[in-house]
Amino acid sequence: MTTATDLNQPTLEHGAPAGRRISLPVLLLIIAGALALTSIVRLITGANGITNVSQMSTALQLAVPIGLAGLGGLWAERAGVVNIGLEGMMILGTWFGAWAGFQWGPWTGVLMGIVGGALGGLLHAIVTITFNVNHIVSGVAINILALGATRYLAPLAFEGHQGGSAKQSPPVDSLGHFSVPGLSDGLESLNDQHWFFVSDIAGLLGGLVTDVSWLTLIAVALIPASWYILWRTPFGLRLRSCGENPVAAESLGVNVYKYKYLAVIISGGLAGLGGVFLSIVANPFYLEGQTSGRGYIGLAAMIFGNWMPGGLAIGAGLFGYTDSLNLRGGSANVHALLLLGALLLIAGAIWLAIRKKYVKAAITVLVGALVLAWYAGTDEVPNQVVSATPYVVTLVVLALSAQRLRMPKANGMQYRKGQGK
């Protein structure tokens, strides 16, 4: 029988087995090292666009919906409910946000988009928690249902309005953007100097304070807010206990059904907010197929982040950055990043050799040599490779990080009230 003491063990409290978490100083050192290596690649290749302010600003904009979807997945799965339906909840968010936004204003659209995603979350909660349907089956069904429902509703809601059609809503007014006075211009000027490391940091920071949407600011604030709620409040501890050991949680008086329902509804609302970002901020209108699989990439970012908000944010940023290569000098930038990939693989091989994992080190060196040969033997990469880069990075990152992952113990398991008696 699990006791109250068990619920406070490091595995639950921190979301990962003790001794396997990366401390903040080490994480910052890793990020600084990666940025320094990127700066070296920039100097060698002359591809200054890979760290300029515009590139980073675009990457942030593309990372936000992915991060919100991943954050939605985090809330649900920390309570033990797998949410494959994030894509469908994002689709509902795009439609509801644009539908309300063009009629009653963008902030009303934001609220209705959250409501639309939350309705998808509520449906997922009823099906999986109350009726114990397989979580994957329910999520896939919600994705299909959301796509079909919006295709049916779009002609009814948008046709006949100026700028509207069966697949597109009328334009929605902007929520507004802002740049930090003085700081934005100063960082951009520093970035234009193309100095080693310093200009790259200026480009990264400049992207965070230049032409930022108010909804972006809200989305970024939700990352530490979620961490605080889930890891520093009694509510968060009870919610996470439902994803680790619901039977033990119930024995301590936790209403497991209530916390699971709340988590999945919040999950849907966050995914819906990600959809709103696409239909009001990224584009000022709803467009069929607008999510383009970002719900699934958000799920991948959550897994890459080991079910932790900070790791999720890094994963969303990585995927947003690779996606931004499609929009700004894609072929030249991706070609430069081949060199970065080769150097990272060689560094990884050295690390594996130090740890006496010689077979893995040899394989890593071989792959790194092939990537380096690809870089040296070409001047650019095909456009198809540029378009596929975000998805390839998703697969590679998940494959490389799989061994350190630790999901909540009861994630995806069926639960009935009183089953521990």
Side-chain angles (χ1 to χ4, degrees), residues 344-355:
L344 288 173
L345 286 168
I346 293 171
I350 294 172
W351 172 248
L352 290 170
I354 291 173
R355 300 180 65 187

Side-chain angles (χ1 to χ4, degrees), residues 76-290:
E77 300 206 7
R78 277 295 176 182
V81 180
V82 176
N83 193 356
I84 298 294
L86 291 169
E87 178 77 4
M89 296 168 198
M90 286 189 78
I91 291 173
L92 292 174
T94 61
W95 190 89
F96 275 89
W99 169 71
F102 88 87
Q103 298 182 88
W104 303 301
W107 287 110
T108 303
V110 171
L111 294 176
M112 288 303 298
I114 294 172
V115 170
L119 288 175
L122 176 62
L123 178 59
H124 188 50
I126 292 171
V127 171
T128 57
I129 300 169
T130 302
F131 294 101
N132 266 335
V133 173
N134 181 277
H135 298 190
I136 306 297
V137 172
S138 173
V140 172
I142 286 174
N143 291 339
I144 297 171
L145 179 63
L147 183 60
T150 52
R151 281 183 176 175
Y152 173 76
L153 292 172
L156 299 178
F158 302 142
E159 283 186 337
H161 295 277
Q162 185 176 2
S165 68
K167 295 186 177 182
Q168 180 177 316
S169 73
V172 181
D173 292 338
S174 173
L175 290 170
H177 294 74
F178 71 94
S179 297
V180 178
L183 183 59
S184 175
D185 293 336
L187 289 171
E188 189 166 4
S189 297
L190 190 58
N191 179 245
D192 290 339
Q193 300 301 316
H194 306 312
W195 293 334
F196 171 72
F197 195 64
V198 175
S199 291
D200 301 287
I201 293 179
L204 176 62
L205 297 178
L208 301 178
V209 297
T210 303
D211 200 27
V212 180
S213 166
W214 292 105
L215 195 55
T216 299
L217 191 64
I218 293 171
V220 171
L222 285 171
I223 299 292
S226 293
W227 173 83
Y228 181 82
I229 293 170
L230 291 175
W231 273 269
R232 289 295 181 269
T233 66
F235 171 84
L237 177 61
R238 296 187 189 104
L239 186 147
R240 288 184 295 115
S241 72
C242 297
E244 295 289 344
N245 194 331
V247 175
E250 182 187 342
S251 72
L252 296 172
V254 176
N255 188 334
V256 176
Y257 277 11
K258 180 182 80 172
Y259 281 93
K260 283 180 177 286
Y261 260 88
L262 285 172
V264 180
I265 292 171
I266 292 171
S267 172
L270 288 168
L273 183 60
V276 168
F277 189 92
L278 292 174
S279 62
I280 294 182
V281 178
N283 296 294
F285 48 80
Y286 162 83
L287 188 65
E288 186 178 304
Q290 201 164 25

